[in-house]
Amino acid sequence: GDQTFRDSFYQMEQSNRIRHLRVSNFEDPVPLIPPSTPLGLDFHTYKHTGVNLKLFQRSLLHPYHYHISYPKMDSWVNELRNSFQSSLLHGFNLKIWNHLVPLYDKRLYEAEEEQKDDADKLSNLNLSELYSDFRLTGWVAETAPERTGGEEL
């Protein structure tokens, strides 16, 4: 969605009404297109939402198998980094197979198996804990109101 969509998404995240994990492969062209609406009066760029788990093939350029990020509100450093990492010019190729399940599966398996410390294993990560990490999101979620016995759901 556009920035208005992302702002609404932020509000739902901060009020504990939604959680979103986006998994992406480095050099997968599909999540990068289209980058915007067609040029015209209602032109706007698209914005990603939620926590992103980006998977890499380990190399000299990427000494790790995954990176977790979040599009922090009002952070120009974060916006610049995300714009670069989401750019068609960064890691762009026409290898559509980078979007297919076998490569995602391979990279997820490698990311899990390589971690020596259990705390770093993907299987030990928890989306609610990631959302509660101020260093990742830049905000603290509202506490959910307590329910009394007489309320209808």
Side-chain angles (χ1 to χ4, degrees), residues 49-105:
T49 57
V51 174
N52 183 32
L53 170 64
K54 190 165 210 164
L55 303 169
F56 296 90
Q57 176 66 45
R58 193 170 166 187
S59 67
L60 262 139
L61 183 59
H62 300 286
Y64 42 82
H65 279 291
Y66 70 90
H67 177 73
I68 296 173
S69 63
Y70 180 84
K72 288 182 183 175
M73 292 175 57
D74 304 322
S75 169
W76 67 269
V77 172
N78 189 67
E79 282 291 322
L80 187 62
R81 184 198 56 187
N82 287 345
S83 294
F84 177 70
Q85 289 182 350
S86 299
S87 167
L88 285 173
L89 303 175
H90 176 69
F92 179 72
N93 64 66
L94 297 176
K95 299 175 188 170
I96 194 66
W97 54 82
N98 286 345
H99 186 68
L100 301 178
V101 171
L103 185 59
Y104 275 85
D105 187 53

Side-chain angles (χ1 to χ4, degrees), residues 8 15 25 27 32 37 46-47 57 64-65 68 70 77-78 93 99-100 104 106 113 120 128 137-138 141 143 146 151:
S8 296
S15 63
N25 250 340
E27 295 185 328
L32 305 178
T37 59
Y46 292 123
K47 305 288 185 176
Q57 176 66 45
Y64 42 82
H65 279 291
I68 296 173
Y70 180 84
V77 172
N78 189 67
N93 64 66
H99 186 68
L100 301 178
Y104 275 85
K106 177 181 183 286
E113 291 302 308
D120 292 332
S128 292
T137 64
T143 55
E146 290 189 33
E151 296 176 11

Side-chain angles (χ1 to χ4, degrees), residues 134-148:
F134 178 82
R135 294 168 300 162
L136 178 65
T137 64
W139 49 264
V140 176
E142 298 172 9
T143 55
E146 290 189 33
R147 293 188 180 271
T148 60

Side-chain angles (χ1 to χ4, degrees), residues 1-10 12 47-49:
D2 63 5
Q3 187 62 47
T4 302
F5 174 84
R6 184 191 271 177
D7 291 342
S8 296
F9 206 91
Y10 283 143
M12 290 191 301
K47 305 288 185 176
H48 289 293
T49 57

